[in-house]
Amino acid sequence: MTRGARANGATGRGDRVLGLLVLLALITGAPVPAAEHYVVGVENIDYRPYQAGHTGVFEGFGRELLDAFAAEAGIVFEYRPLPPPRLLASLLQDRVDFKYPDDPGWTPEARAGRVIHYSRPIVAYLDGTLVRPERLEQPASMLRVLGTVVGFTPLAWRAALDSGAVSLRENADFSALFQQVLSERVDGAYANVAVARDQSRRLLGHPDALVFDRRLPSARGDYRLSTRHHPAVIERFDRWLVERADRVSELRGSAGLSETDRSRDAVD
């Protein structure tokens, strides 16, 4: 699913649509159309199999999906990779037109009183606590230090973190996070389960260096596309998700993401 680099991330397929419209206008003498152009804020991290932006070029399932919609809608999406902690602020400050991925349950205090339009669910996610195999199914009270990647808040552990029963240690990336757990400097890692498995396979050679503990706090949700000022595009996108459900399912399958079984990330 890796794509070649494109100028500032603008979608190649959207450019081809615009090129065809321009050519048609030149042939018929009609006015040259101005393509709708939008900036989509995306995460500048490696979050495969969902998406990746750590190289400065957005790619993976998220890119494939949004490109497919843009090509059929005749619009141009320019992707702007940003650090996850800055992404919501960039949307709220109108520095980007759209945010992907998004979930209305993330940092609700920052969203309070702000009008944000969200798309239909695109793909399900499962965030959970991963531990060394020998710690599997130990009581939650045995976990005192939790690790995560910087910029991600372990909402499922919020009460324990707020009370001080559990302390949080942030890491720059998944490699550092895994090493913290494996060296027993933290008791567990909080991360997306599918991403952790993929990263473990890439970094450590097998997907089960850390295992998802179902008995410990976890959170499920759906990734969505969001905007403040372009609800009409969200409506078009929602219709496209329904009308092109087979295509969306095909893209999910190619990425190894299930469209119906939210537990798949944990058991595959």
Side-chain angles (χ1 to χ4, degrees):
M1 296 178 64
T2 302
R3 294 172 169 270
R6 300 182 182 127
N8 201 26
T11 169
R13 278 178 284 187
D15 289 345
R16 287 196 294 274
V17 170
L18 177 59
L20 291 173
L21 293 174
V22 171
L23 178 60
L24 180 61
L26 293 174
I27 293 173
T28 62
V32 175
E36 297 176 59
H37 181 280
Y38 302 103
V39 177
V40 183
V42 297
E43 296 169 345
N44 68 345
I45 58 173
D46 185 356
Y47 216 63
R48 290 173 285 183
Y50 292 97
Q51 60 265 335
H54 59 298
T55 65
V57 177
F58 184 49
E59 54 190 349
F61 166 76
R63 173 78 184 246
E64 296 281 351
L65 180 88
L66 294 177
D67 274 0
F69 163 68
E72 293 194 29
I75 65 178
V76 174
F77 278 153
E78 173 190 337
Y79 302 105
R80 185 170 298 169
L82 295 166
R86 287 174 46 194
L87 202 48
L88 179 59
S90 295
L91 179 71
L92 296 178
Q93 295 166 9
D94 298 330
R95 295 177 181 174
V96 298
D97 298 305
F98 294 88
K99 178 183 183 297
Y100 182 81
D102 205 355
D103 184 318
W106 295 345
T107 55
E109 63 279 2
R111 302 167 191 265
R114 313 297 289 268
V115 176
I116 302 176
H117 305 276
Y118 301 92
S119 75
R120 297 169 58 94
I122 296 170
V123 63
Y125 69 82
L126 169 63
D127 295 343
T129 308
L130 300 107
V131 298
R132 297 185 305 279
E134 63 270 20
R135 288 185 62 105
L136 190 63
E137 297 188 353
Q138 289 189 356
S141 60
M142 298 293 292
L143 195 148
R144 304 306 303 272
V145 183
L146 182 69
T148 190
V149 174
V150 64
F152 290 87
T153 303
L155 297 177
W157 285 90
R158 173 166 286 181
L161 291 168
D162 289 347
S163 70
V166 174
S167 61
L168 184 66
R169 184 171 299 174
E170 294 183 317
N171 294 266
D173 52 36
F174 279 97
S175 177
L177 175 61
F178 289 166
Q179 291 304 320
Q180 288 270 316
V181 181
L182 293 173
S183 64
E184 301 185 37
R185 283 176 283 179
V186 301
D187 300 317
Y190 189 83
N192 179 279
V193 177
V195 174
R197 286 177 58 83
D198 186 84
Q199 292 283 344
S200 181
R201 180 164 40 243
R202 294 175 189 276
L203 296 171
L204 304 174
H206 59 95
D208 297 314
L210 302 179
V211 291
F212 169 55
D213 194 330
R214 296 172 179 272
R215 296 178 59 182
L216 295 178
S218 62
R220 300 177 186 273
D222 298 283
Y223 292 144
R224 304 169 187 259
L225 180 68
S226 66
T227 187
R228 293 188 65 217
H229 302 299
H230 306 287
V233 177
I234 292 292
E235 291 176 5
R236 291 161 65 188
F237 182 59
D238 282 348
R239 288 195 299 271
W240 182 84
L241 288 174
V242 174
E243 295 169 357
R244 298 290 184 267
D246 289 346
R247 176 61 175 150
V248 175
S249 179
E250 177 187 341
L251 291 172
R252 289 195 193 102
S254 296
L257 299 168
S258 170
E259 66 173 307
T260 57
D261 183 3
R262 294 191 175 192
S263 67
R264 176 179 172 177
D265 286 351
V267 301
D268 275 5

